[in-house]
Amino acid sequence: GAASVRRFSSSGAKAAQSRLRGSDFPHFERIQTRWNDNDAFGHINNVLYYAFMDDAVNAHLIRNNIGAKFPRFVVESSCRFHEPLSYPDHVDV
């Protein structure tokens, strides 16, 4: 079957108030999970959620012509678990 799409965000302050919706964010980067992202239980390994955020930030900056000569950093990130992901899910970050 077709891969499903899941969303997660990195907004800690808002997440503490309520579950966030896609409409709360102006930009998303779609990331394809890989077979080797799965752990022994068949779910995406927890540490990879932060790698997805890093990939999304860099993809957004590159797509908007912000090259390596400019600093790239994330001021704050957090991750709130809602449901497991597994290959071949796509993730909107």
Side-chain angles (χ1 to χ4, degrees):
S4 61
V5 175
R6 311 289 177 86
R7 289 190 170 173
F8 74 94
S9 69
S10 60
S11 175
K14 279 184 142 182
Q17 296 172 4
S18 65
R19 187 165 182 174
L20 299 168
R21 298 178 307 268
S23 61
D24 292 329
F25 301 93
H27 304 286
F28 286 96
E29 293 292 332
R30 179 159 289 180
I31 296 173
Q32 170 67 56
T33 58
R34 303 168 303 172
W35 172 255
N36 64 334
D37 293 340
N38 282 358
D39 60 20
F41 302 104
H43 301 117
I44 299 298
N45 187 290
N46 291 343
V47 73
L48 292 170
Y49 291 95
Y50 287 93
F52 294 155
M53 286 186 240
D54 186 52
D55 289 347
V57 167
N58 284 297
H60 177 76
L61 293 173
I62 290 167
R63 184 177 357 280
N64 288 284
N65 296 317
I66 300 174
K69 62 183 175 182
F70 297 100
R72 300 176 191 200
F73 57 90
V74 175
V75 174
E76 177 183 352
S77 67
S78 67
C79 194
R80 179 180 272 191
F81 180 82
H82 292 287
E83 59 187 277
L85 297 172
S86 61
Y87 175 81
D89 289 341
H90 290 89
V91 185
D92 285 339
V93 181

Coordinates of all heavy atoms in Angstrom, one line a residue:
G1 N 0.8 -1.2 0.0 CA 0.0 0.0 0.0 C 0.9 1.2 0.0 O 2.1 1.2 0.1
A2 N 0.2 2.4 -0.1 CA 0.9 3.7 -0.1 C 1.4 4.0 1.3 O 0.8 3.6 2.3 CB -0.1 4.7 -0.6
A3 N 2.5 4.7 1.3 CA 3.0 5.2 2.6 C 2.1 6.2 3.2 O 1.5 7.0 2.5 CB 4.4 5.7 2.4
S4 N 2.0 6.3 4.5 CA 1.2 7.3 5.1 C 2.1 8.5 5.4 O 3.3 8.5 5.3 CB 0.6 6.7 6.4 OG 1.7 6.4 7.3
V5 N 1.4 9.6 5.7 CA 2.1 10.8 6.0 C 1.7 11.2 7.5 O 0.6 11.2 7.9 CB 1.6 12.0 5.1 CG1 2.2 13.3 5.5 CG2 2.0 11.6 3.7
R6 N 2.8 11.5 8.3 CA 2.6 11.9 9.6 C 3.2 13.3 9.8 O 4.1 13.6 9.1 CB 3.2 11.0 10.6 CG 3.0 9.5 10.4 CD 1.5 9.1 10.7 NE 1.2 7.8 10.4 CZ 1.5 6.7 11.2 NH1 2.0 6.9 12.4 NH2 1.2 5.5 10.8
R7 N 2.7 14.1 10.8 CA 3.3 15.4 11.0 C 3.8 15.5 12.4 O 3.2 15.0 13.4 CB 2.2 16.5 10.8 CG 1.9 16.6 9.3 CD 1.1 17.8 9.1 NE 1.0 18.0 7.7 CZ 0.3 18.9 7.1 NH1 -0.5 19.7 7.8 NH2 0.3 19.0 5.8
F8 N 4.9 16.2 12.6 CA 5.3 16.6 13.9 C 6.0 17.9 13.8 O 6.4 18.4 12.8 CB 6.2 15.5 14.6 CG 7.6 15.4 14.1 CD1 8.6 16.1 14.7 CD2 7.9 14.6 13.0 CE1 9.9 16.0 14.3 CE2 9.1 14.5 12.6 CZ 10.2 15.1 13.2
S9 N 6.0 18.6 14.9 CA 6.6 20.0 14.9 C 7.6 20.1 16.0 O 7.7 19.2 16.9 CB 5.5 21.0 15.1 OG 5.0 20.9 16.5
S10 N 8.3 21.2 16.1 CA 9.3 21.4 17.1 C 9.0 22.6 18.0 O 9.9 23.2 18.5 CB 10.7 21.6 16.4 OG 10.6 22.7 15.6
S11 N 7.8 22.9 18.2 CA 7.4 24.1 19.0 C 7.1 23.6 20.4 O 6.0 23.1 20.6 CB 6.2 24.8 18.3 OG 5.8 25.8 19.2
G12 N 8.0 23.8 21.3 CA 7.8 23.3 22.7 C 6.8 24.1 23.4 O 5.9 23.6 24.1
A13 N 6.8 25.5 23.3 CA 5.9 26.3 24.1 C 4.4 26.1 23.8 O 3.6 25.9 24.6 CB 6.3 27.8 23.9
K14 N 4.1 26.1 22.5 CA 2.8 25.9 22.0 C 2.3 24.4 22.3 O 1.2 24.2 22.7 CB 2.6 26.1 20.5 CG 2.5 27.6 20.2 CD 2.2 27.7 18.7 CE 1.3 28.8 18.4 NZ 1.0 28.9 17.0
A15 N 3.2 23.5 22.2 CA 2.9 22.1 22.4 C 2.4 21.8 23.8 O 1.6 21.0 24.1 CB 4.1 21.2 22.0
A16 N 3.0 22.6 24.8 CA 2.6 22.4 26.2 C 1.2 22.8 26.4 O 0.5 22.4 27.3 CB 3.6 23.2 27.0
Q17 N 0.6 23.7 25.6 CA -0.7 24.2 25.7 C -1.7 23.3 25.2 O -2.8 23.0 25.8 CB -0.9 25.6 25.1 CG 0.0 26.6 25.7 CD 0.0 27.9 25.0 OE1 -0.7 28.1 24.0 NE2 0.8 28.9 25.4
S18 N -1.5 22.7 24.0 CA -2.5 21.8 23.3 C -1.8 21.1 22.2 O -0.7 21.5 21.8 CB -3.7 22.6 22.8 OG -3.3 23.5 21.8
R19 N -2.5 20.1 21.7 CA -2.0 19.4 20.5 C -2.0 20.3 19.3 O -3.0 21.0 19.0 CB -2.7 18.1 20.2 CG -2.1 17.3 19.2 CD -2.7 15.9 19.1 NE -2.0 15.2 18.1 CZ -2.1 13.9 17.9 NH1 -2.9 13.2 18.6 NH2 -1.5 13.3 16.9
L20 N -0.9 20.4 18.6 CA -0.8 21.3 17.5 C -1.4 20.8 16.2 O -1.5 19.5 16.1 CB 0.7 21.7 17.2 CG 1.4 22.3 18.4 CD1 2.9 22.3 18.2 CD2 0.9 23.7 18.5
R21 N -1.8 21.6 15.3 CA -2.4 21.2 14.0 C -1.4 21.7 12.9 O -0.7 22.7 13.1 CB -3.8 21.8 13.8 CG -4.8 21.3 14.9 CD -6.1 22.0 14.7 NE -6.0 23.5 14.6 CZ -6.1 24.3 15.7 NH1 -6.4 23.8 16.9 NH2 -6.1 25.6 15.5
G22 N -1.5 21.1 11.8 CA -0.7 21.6 10.6 C -1.0 23.0 10.3 O 0.0 23.7 9.9
S23 N -2.2 23.5 10.5 CA -2.5 24.9 10.2 C -1.8 25.9 11.1 O -1.7 27.1 10.9 CB -4.0 25.2 10.2 OG -4.5 24.9 11.5
D24 N -1.1 25.4 12.2 CA -0.4 26.3 13.1 C 1.0 26.7 12.6 O 1.6 27.5 13.2 CB -0.2 25.6 14.5 CG -1.5 25.3 15.2 OD1 -2.4 26.2 15.1 OD2 -1.6 24.4 16.0
F25 N 1.4 26.1 11.5 CA 2.7 26.3 10.9 C 2.7 26.7 9.5 O 1.9 26.1 8.7 CB 3.6 25.0 11.1 CG 3.7 24.6 12.5 CD1 2.8 23.7 13.1 CD2 4.6 25.2 13.4 CE1 2.9 23.4 14.4 CE2 4.7 24.9 14.7 CZ 3.8 23.9 15.2
P26 N 3.5 27.7 9.1 CA 3.5 28.1 7.7 C 4.2 27.3 6.7 O 4.0 27.3 5.5 CB 4.1 29.5 7.7 CG 5.0 29.5 8.9 CD 4.3 28.5 9.9
H27 N 5.2 26.4 7.2 CA 6.0 25.7 6.3 C 6.2 24.2 6.8 O 6.3 24.0 8.0 CB 7.4 26.3 6.2 CG 7.4 27.7 5.8 ND1 7.2 28.1 4.5 CD2 7.6 28.8 6.5 CE1 7.3 29.4 4.4 NE2 7.5 29.9 5.6
F28 N 6.3 23.3 5.8 CA 6.5 21.9 6.1 C 7.6 21.4 5.1 O 7.6 21.9 3.9 CB 5.3 21.0 6.0 CG 4.3 21.2 7.1 CD1 3.3 22.1 7.0 CD2 4.5 20.5 8.3 CE1 2.4 22.2 8.0 CE2 3.6 20.6 9.3 CZ 2.6 21.5 9.2
E29 N 8.4 20.5 5.5 CA 9.3 19.8 4.6 C 8.9 18.3 4.7 O 8.8 17.8 5.8 CB 10.7 19.9 5.0 CG 11.3 21.3 4.8 CD 11.4 21.8 3.4 OE1 11.5 20.9 2.5 OE2 11.3 23.0 3.2
R30 N 8.6 17.7 3.6 CA 8.2 16.2 3.6 C 9.5 15.4 3.5 O 10.4 15.6 2.7 CB 7.3 15.9 2.4 CG 7.0 14.4 2.4 CD 5.8 14.1 1.6 NE 4.6 14.6 2.3 CZ 3.4 14.6 1.9 NH1 3.2 14.0 0.7 NH2 2.4 15.1 2.6
I31 N 9.6 14.5 4.5 CA 10.8 13.6 4.6 C 10.3 12.2 4.4 O 9.4 11.7 5.1 CB 11.5 13.8 5.9 CG1 12.1 15.3 6.0 CG2 12.6 12.8 6.1 CD1 12.6 15.7 7.3
Q32 N 11.0 11.4 3.6 CA 10.8 10.0 3.4 C 11.6 9.2 4.4 O 12.8 9.4 4.5 CB 11.2 9.6 2.0 CG 11.2 8.1 1.8 CD 9.8 7.5 1.9 OE1 8.9 7.9 1.1 NE2 9.6 6.5 2.8
T33 N 10.9 8.4 5.2 CA 11.6 7.6 6.1 C 12.4 6.5 5.3 O 12.0 6.2 4.2 CB 10.7 6.9 7.2 OG1 9.7 6.1 6.5 CG2 10.0 7.9 8.0
R34 N 13.4 5.9 6.0 CA 14.2 4.9 5.3 C 14.1 3.6 6.1 O 13.8 3.6 7.3 CB 15.7 5.3 5.3 CG 15.9 6.6 4.6 CD 17.3 7.2 4.9 NE 17.5 7.3 6.3 CZ 18.7 7.5 6.9 NH1 19.8 7.7 6.1 NH2 18.8 7.6 8.2
W35 N 14.3 2.5 5.4 CA 14.2 1.2 6.1 C 15.1 1.1 7.3 O 14.7 0.6 8.3 CB 14.6 0.1 5.1 CG 14.7 -1.3 5.7 CD1 15.8 -2.0 6.0 CD2 13.6 -2.1 6.1 NE1 15.5 -3.2 6.6 CE2 14.1 -3.3 6.7 CE3 12.2 -1.9 6.1 CZ2 13.4 -4.3 7.2 CZ3 11.4 -2.9 6.6 CH2 12.0 -4.1 7.2
N36 N 16.3 1.6 7.2 CA 17.2 1.5 8.4 C 16.9 2.5 9.5 O 17.6 2.5 10.5 CB 18.7 1.6 7.9 CG 19.0 3.0 7.3 OD1 18.2 3.6 6.8 ND2 20.3 3.4 7.4
D37 N 15.9 3.4 9.3 CA 15.4 4.2 10.4 C 14.7 3.4 11.5 O 14.5 3.9 12.6 CB 14.5 5.4 9.9 CG 15.3 6.3 9.0 OD1 16.5 6.4 9.1 OD2 14.6 7.1 8.2
N38 N 14.1 2.3 11.1 CA 13.4 1.5 12.0 C 14.3 0.8 13.1 O 15.4 0.5 12.8 CB 12.6 0.3 11.3 CG 11.4 0.8 10.6 OD1 11.0 2.0 10.6 ND2 10.7 -0.1 9.9
D39 N 13.7 0.7 14.3 CA 14.4 0.0 15.4 C 14.0 -1.4 15.4 O 13.3 -1.9 14.5 CB 14.2 0.7 16.7 CG 12.8 0.8 17.1 OD1 11.9 0.0 16.6 OD2 12.4 1.6 18.0
A40 N 14.4 -2.2 16.4 CA 14.1 -3.6 16.5 C 12.6 -3.9 16.7 O 12.2 -5.0 16.4 CB 14.9 -4.2 17.7
F41 N 11.9 -2.8 17.1 CA 10.4 -3.0 17.2 C 9.6 -2.6 16.0 O 8.4 -2.6 16.0 CB 10.0 -2.2 18.5 CG 10.7 -2.6 19.7 CD1 11.7 -1.8 20.2 CD2 10.4 -3.8 20.4 CE1 12.3 -2.1 21.4 CE2 11.0 -4.1 21.5 CZ 12.0 -3.3 22.0
G42 N 10.3 -2.2 14.9 CA 9.6 -1.9 13.7 C 9.1 -0.4 13.7 O 8.3 -0.1 12.8
H43 N 9.6 0.4 14.6 CA 9.2 1.8 14.6 C 10.5 2.7 14.4 O 11.6 2.2 14.6 CB 8.7 2.2 16.0 CG 7.5 1.4 16.4 ND1 7.5 0.6 17.5 CD2 6.3 1.3 15.8 CE1 6.3 0.0 17.6 NE2 5.5 0.4 16.6
I44 N 10.2 3.9 13.9 CA 11.3 4.8 13.7 C 12.0 5.1 15.1 O 11.4 5.4 16.1 CB 10.8 6.2 13.1 CG1 10.2 6.0 11.8 CG2 12.0 7.2 13.1 CD1 11.1 5.4 10.7
N45 N 13.3 5.0 15.1 CA 14.1 5.2 16.3 C 13.9 6.6 16.8 O 14.0 7.6 16.0 CB 15.6 4.9 16.0 CG 16.4 4.9 17.3 OD1 16.6 6.0 17.9 ND2 16.9 3.8 17.7
N46 N 13.7 6.8 18.1 CA 13.4 8.1 18.7 C 14.4 9.2 18.3 O 14.0 10.4 18.1 CB 13.3 8.0 20.2 CG 12.0 7.3 20.6 OD1 11.1 7.1 19.8 ND2 12.0 6.8 21.8
V47 N 15.7 8.9 18.3 CA 16.7 9.9 18.0 C 16.5 10.5 16.6 O 16.9 11.6 16.4 CB 18.1 9.3 18.2 CG1 18.5 8.4 17.1 CG2 19.1 10.4 18.4
L48 N 15.9 9.8 15.7 CA 15.8 10.3 14.3 C 14.8 11.4 14.2 O 14.9 12.2 13.2 CB 15.4 9.1 13.4 CG 16.6 8.1 13.3 CD1 16.1 6.9 12.5 CD2 17.7 8.8 12.5
Y49 N 13.9 11.6 15.2 CA 13.0 12.8 15.1 C 13.7 14.1 15.1 O 13.4 15.0 14.3 CB 12.0 12.7 16.2 CG 11.0 11.6 16.1 CD1 11.2 10.4 16.8 CD2 9.8 11.7 15.3 CE1 10.3 9.4 16.6 CE2 8.9 10.7 15.2 CZ 9.2 9.5 15.9 OH 8.3 8.5 15.7
Y50 N 14.8 14.2 15.8 CA 15.6 15.4 15.8 C 16.4 15.5 14.5 O 16.7 16.6 14.0 CB 16.5 15.4 17.0 CG 15.7 15.7 18.3 CD1 15.2 14.7 19.1 CD2 15.4 17.0 18.6 CE1 14.4 15.0 20.2 CE2 14.6 17.3 19.7 CZ 14.1 16.3 20.5 OH 13.3 16.6 21.6
A51 N 16.8 14.4 13.9 CA 17.5 14.4 12.6 C 16.5 14.9 11.6 O 16.9 15.7 10.7 CB 18.1 13.0 12.3
F52 N 15.3 14.5 11.7 CA 14.2 15.0 10.7 C 14.1 16.5 10.8 O 14.0 17.2 9.8 CB 12.9 14.4 11.0 CG 12.8 12.9 10.8 CD1 11.8 12.1 11.4 CD2 13.6 12.2 9.8 CE1 11.7 10.8 11.2 CE2 13.5 10.9 9.6 CZ 12.5 10.1 10.3
M53 N 14.1 17.1 12.0 CA 14.1 18.5 12.2 C 15.3 19.2 11.6 O 15.1 20.2 10.9 CB 14.0 18.9 13.7 CG 12.6 18.6 14.3 SD 12.5 19.2 16.0 CE 12.2 17.7 16.9
D54 N 16.4 18.6 11.8 CA 17.7 19.2 11.2 C 17.6 19.2 9.7 O 17.9 20.2 9.0 CB 18.9 18.4 11.7 CG 20.2 19.0 11.3 OD1 20.4 20.3 11.5 OD2 21.0 18.3 10.7
D55 N 17.2 18.1 9.1 CA 17.0 18.0 7.7 C 16.0 19.0 7.2 O 16.2 19.6 6.1 CB 16.6 16.6 7.3 CG 17.7 15.5 7.5 OD1 18.8 15.9 7.7 OD2 17.3 14.3 7.4
A56 N 14.9 19.1 7.9 CA 13.9 20.1 7.4 C 14.3 21.5 7.4 O 14.1 22.3 6.5 CB 12.6 19.9 8.3
V57 N 15.1 21.9 8.5 CA 15.6 23.3 8.6 C 16.5 23.5 7.4 O 16.4 24.5 6.7 CB 16.3 23.5 9.9 CG1 17.1 24.8 9.9 CG2 15.3 23.6 11.0
N58 N 17.5 22.6 7.2 CA 18.5 22.8 6.1 C 17.8 22.8 4.7 O 18.2 23.6 3.9 CB 19.6 21.8 6.2 CG 20.5 22.2 7.3 OD1 21.2 23.2 7.3 ND2 20.6 21.4 8.4
A59 N 16.9 21.9 4.5 CA 16.2 21.9 3.2 C 15.4 23.2 2.9 O 15.5 23.7 1.8 CB 15.2 20.7 3.2
H60 N 14.8 23.7 4.0 CA 14.0 25.0 3.8 C 15.0 26.1 3.5 O 14.7 26.9 2.6 CB 13.3 25.3 5.1 CG 12.5 26.5 5.0 ND1 11.4 26.7 4.3 CD2 12.8 27.7 5.6 CE1 11.0 28.0 4.5 NE2 11.8 28.6 5.2
L61 N 16.1 26.2 4.2 CA 17.1 27.3 3.9 C 17.7 27.1 2.6 O 17.8 28.1 1.8 CB 18.2 27.2 5.0 CG 17.7 27.6 6.4 CD1 18.8 27.4 7.4 CD2 17.2 29.0 6.5
I62 N 18.1 25.9 2.2 CA 18.7 25.8 0.8 C 17.7 26.1 -0.3 O 18.0 26.8 -1.2 CB 19.2 24.3 0.7 CG1 20.4 24.1 1.6 CG2 19.5 24.0 -0.8 CD1 20.8 22.7 1.8
R63 N 16.4 25.7 -0.1 CA 15.4 26.0 -1.1 C 15.1 27.5 -1.2 O 14.7 27.9 -2.3 CB 14.1 25.2 -0.7 CG 13.0 25.4 -1.8 CD 11.7 24.7 -1.6 NE 11.5 23.8 -0.4 CZ 11.9 22.6 -0.4 NH1 12.7 22.0 -1.3 NH2 11.6 21.8 0.7
N64 N 15.4 28.2 -0.2 CA 15.2 29.6 -0.2 C 16.5 30.4 -0.4 O 16.6 31.6 0.0 CB 14.5 30.1 1.1 CG 13.1 29.6 1.1 OD1 12.2 30.2 0.4 ND2 12.7 28.6 1.8
N65 N 17.5 29.7 -1.0 CA 18.8 30.3 -1.4 C 19.5 31.0 -0.2 O 20.2 32.0 -0.4 CB 18.6 31.4 -2.5 CG 18.1 30.7 -3.7 OD1 18.5 29.7 -4.1 ND2 17.1 31.3 -4.4
I66 N 19.4 30.4 0.9 CA 20.2 30.8 2.1 C 21.4 29.8 2.2 O 21.2 28.7 2.6 CB 19.4 30.8 3.4 CG1 18.3 31.8 3.2 CG2 20.3 31.2 4.6 CD1 17.3 31.8 4.3
G67 N 22.5 30.2 1.7 CA 23.7 29.3 1.5 C 24.4 29.1 2.8 O 24.1 29.7 3.9
A68 N 25.5 28.3 2.7 CA 26.3 28.0 3.9 C 27.1 29.2 4.5 O 27.5 29.1 5.6 CB 27.3 26.9 3.5
K69 N 27.1 30.3 3.8 CA 27.9 31.4 4.3 C 27.1 32.1 5.5 O 27.6 32.9 6.2 CB 28.2 32.5 3.3 CG 27.0 33.1 2.6 CD 27.4 34.0 1.5 CE 26.2 34.5 0.7 NZ 26.5 35.4 -0.4
F70 N 25.8 31.7 5.6 CA 25.0 32.3 6.7 C 24.9 31.2 7.8 O 24.8 30.0 7.5 CB 23.6 32.6 6.2 CG 23.6 33.7 5.2 CD1 23.5 33.4 3.8 CD2 23.7 35.0 5.6 CE1 23.4 34.4 2.9 CE2 23.7 36.0 4.6 CZ 23.6 35.7 3.3
P71 N 24.8 31.6 9.1 CA 24.7 30.7 10.2 C 23.4 29.9 10.1 O 22.3 30.6 9.7 CB 24.8 31.5 11.4 CG 25.0 32.9 11.0 CD 25.0 33.0 9.5
R72 N 23.4 28.7 10.4 CA 22.1 27.9 10.4 C 22.0 27.3 11.8 O 22.9 26.5 12.2 CB 22.2 26.8 9.4 CG 22.3 27.2 8.0 CD 22.4 26.0 7.1 NE 22.8 26.5 5.8 CZ 22.6 25.8 4.7 NH1 22.1 24.6 4.8 NH2 23.0 26.2 3.6
F73 N 21.0 27.6 12.5 CA 20.8 27.0 13.8 C 19.4 27.0 14.2 O 18.6 27.8 13.7 CB 21.7 27.6 14.9 CG 21.4 29.1 15.1 CD1 20.4 29.6 15.9 CD2 22.1 30.0 14.3 CE1 20.2 30.9 16.1 CE2 21.9 31.4 14.4 CZ 20.9 31.8 15.3
V74 N 19.0 26.1 15.1 CA 17.7 26.0 15.6 C 17.8 26.5 17.1 O 18.5 26.0 17.9 CB 17.1 24.6 15.6 CG1 15.8 24.5 16.3 CG2 17.0 24.1 14.2
V75 N 17.0 27.5 17.4 CA 17.1 28.1 18.7 C 16.5 27.2 19.8 O 17.1 27.0 20.9 CB 16.3 29.5 18.8 CG1 16.3 30.0 20.2 CG2 17.0 30.4 17.8
E76 N 15.5 26.5 19.5 CA 14.8 25.6 20.5 C 14.1 24.5 19.7 O 13.6 24.7 18.6 CB 13.8 26.4 21.3 CG 13.0 25.5 22.3 CD 12.0 26.3 23.0 OE1 11.9 27.5 22.9 OE2 11.2 25.6 23.8
S77 N 14.2 23.3 20.3 CA 13.4 22.2 19.7 C 12.9 21.3 20.8 O 13.5 21.2 21.8 CB 14.3 21.4 18.7 OG 15.3 20.8 19.3
S78 N 11.9 20.6 20.5 CA 11.3 19.6 21.4 C 10.5 18.7 20.6 O 10.1 19.0 19.4 CB 10.5 20.3 22.5 OG 9.3 20.8 22.0
C79 N 10.2 17.6 21.1 CA 9.4 16.6 20.4 C 8.4 16.0 21.3 O 8.7 15.5 22.4 CB 10.4 15.6 19.8 SG 9.6 14.5 18.5
R80 N 7.1 16.0 20.9 CA 6.1 15.4 21.7 C 5.5 14.2 20.9 O 5.1 14.3 19.8 CB 5.0 16.4 21.9 CG 3.8 15.8 22.7 CD 2.7 16.8 22.9 NE 3.1 17.6 24.1 CZ 2.2 18.4 24.7 NH1 1.1 18.7 24.2 NH2 2.6 19.0 25.8
F81 N 5.6 13.0 21.5 CA 5.2 11.8 20.9 C 3.7 11.6 20.9 O 3.1 11.8 21.9 CB 5.8 10.6 21.6 CG 5.5 9.2 21.0 CD1 6.2 8.8 19.9 CD2 4.4 8.5 21.5 CE1 5.9 7.6 19.3 CE2 4.1 7.3 21.0 CZ 4.8 6.8 19.9
H82 N 3.1 11.3 19.7 CA 1.7 11.1 19.6 C 1.4 9.7 19.1 O 0.4 9.1 19.5 CB 1.1 12.1 18.6 CG 1.1 13.5 19.1 ND1 0.3 13.9 20.2 CD2 1.8 14.6 18.8 CE1 0.5 15.2 20.4 NE2 1.4 15.6 19.6
E83 N 2.2 9.2 18.1 CA 2.0 7.8 17.6 C 3.3 7.4 16.9 O 4.1 8.2 16.5 CB 0.8 7.8 16.6 CG 1.0 8.8 15.4 CD -0.2 8.9 14.6 OE1 -0.4 8.0 13.7 OE2 -1.0 9.8 14.8
P84 N 3.5 6.1 16.8 CA 4.7 5.6 16.2 C 4.7 5.8 14.7 O 3.7 5.8 14.1 CB 4.7 4.1 16.6 CG 3.3 3.8 16.8 CD 2.6 5.0 17.3
L85 N 5.9 6.0 14.2 CA 6.2 6.0 12.7 C 7.0 4.8 12.4 O 7.7 4.2 13.2 CB 7.0 7.2 12.4 CG 6.4 8.6 12.7 CD1 7.5 9.7 12.4 CD2 5.2 8.9 11.8
S86 N 6.8 4.4 11.1 CA 7.7 3.3 10.6 C 7.8 3.4 9.1 O 7.0 4.1 8.5 CB 7.1 1.9 11.0 OG 5.8 1.8 10.4
Y87 N 8.9 2.8 8.6 CA 9.1 2.8 7.1 C 7.9 2.1 6.5 O 7.5 1.0 7.0 CB 10.4 2.1 6.8 CG 10.7 1.9 5.4 CD1 11.2 3.0 4.6 CD2 10.3 0.7 4.7 CE1 11.4 2.8 3.3 CE2 10.6 0.6 3.4 CZ 11.1 1.6 2.7 OH 11.3 1.5 1.3
P88 N 7.3 2.6 5.4 CA 7.7 3.6 4.5 C 6.9 4.9 4.7 O 6.6 5.6 3.7 CB 7.5 3.0 3.2 CG 6.2 2.3 3.4 CD 6.3 1.7 4.8
D89 N 6.7 5.3 6.0 CA 5.9 6.6 6.2 C 6.7 7.8 5.6 O 7.9 7.8 5.6 CB 5.7 6.8 7.7 CG 4.7 5.9 8.3 OD1 3.9 5.2 7.6 OD2 4.7 5.7 9.5
H90 N 5.9 8.8 5.2 CA 6.5 10.1 5.0 C 6.2 10.9 6.2 O 5.2 10.8 6.8 CB 5.8 10.8 3.7 CG 6.2 10.1 2.5 ND1 5.4 9.1 1.9 CD2 7.2 10.4 1.6 CE1 6.0 8.7 0.8 NE2 7.0 9.5 0.6
V91 N 7.0 11.9 6.5 CA 6.9 12.8 7.6 C 6.9 14.2 7.2 O 7.8 14.6 6.5 CB 8.0 12.5 8.7 CG1 7.7 13.4 9.9 CG2 8.1 11.1 9.0
D92 N 5.8 15.0 7.5 CA 5.8 16.4 7.3 C 6.4 17.1 8.5 O 5.7 17.0 9.6 CB 4.4 16.9 7.0 CG 4.0 16.5 5.6 OD1 4.8 16.2 4.7 OD2 2.8 16.5 5.3
V93 N 7.5 17.7 8.4 CA 8.2 18.3 9.6 C 8.1 19.8 9.4 O 8.3 20.4 8.4 CB 9.7 17.9 9.6 CG1 10.4 18.6 10.8 CG2 9.8 16.4 9.6

